[in-house]
Amino acid sequence: MAYNKSDLVAKIAQKTSLTKAQSEAAINAFQEVLVESLESGEGLRLTGVLSASRVKRAARTGRNPRTGETIKIPAGYGVKLQAGSLLKKAVA
């Protein structure tokens, strides 16, 4: 089952003593912390769960899928997510 944000809020509220409003506030705070840590270049590690880090991508060439035209993609940043041991066990 895939969860959207409202599903996740409801599930967290169900599993804790938090209200849905408190659960949503906690999720929003987590999102802010994650974005701030990636923007600062520090990344985020939840031991056993996941690791998220900001990675620099080199400029490269690509192809426009509609026209087939070759395009230049500028250098930029991406996010690298790595599953921790708890997530790896859950999908094994």
Side-chain angles (χ1 to χ4, degrees), residues 4-20:
N4 62 29
K5 187 175 179 181
S6 61
D7 294 335
L8 182 59
V9 166
K11 193 72 168 179
I12 289 174
Q14 177 187 0
K15 291 190 167 280
T16 65
S17 60
L18 300 174
T19 65
K20 285 185 179 181

Side-chain angles (χ1 to χ4, degrees), residues 1 4 19 21 30 32 42 45 60 71 77-78 88 90:
M1 174 179 201
N4 62 29
T19 65
F30 174 75
E32 289 175 21
E42 294 177 21
R45 174 174 283 160
R60 59 201 185 278
I71 58 173
Y77 292 94
K88 289 178 182 176

Side-chain angles (χ1 to χ4, degrees), residues 3 16 18 20 25-26 31-32 36 48 50 52-54 72 80-81 88-90 92:
Y3 289 101
T16 65
L18 300 174
K20 285 185 179 181
Q31 288 175 326
E32 289 175 21
E36 288 170 3
L50 70 89
S53 57
R54 181 177 170 180
K72 292 183 180 182
K80 178 181 175 185
L81 296 175
K88 289 178 182 176
K89 285 181 193 176

Side-chain angles (χ1 to χ4, degrees), residues 35-55:
V35 169
E36 288 170 3
S37 68
L38 291 172
E39 286 176 342
S40 71
E42 294 177 21
L44 180 73
R45 174 174 283 160
L46 297 175
T47 304
V49 181
L50 70 89
S51 174
S53 57
R54 181 177 170 180
V55 292

Side-chain angles (χ1 to χ4, degrees), residues 62-78:
R63 192 165 299 279
N64 182 327
R66 289 186 184 173
T67 64
E69 177 186 7
T70 300
I71 58 173
K72 292 183 180 182
I73 302 170
Y77 292 94

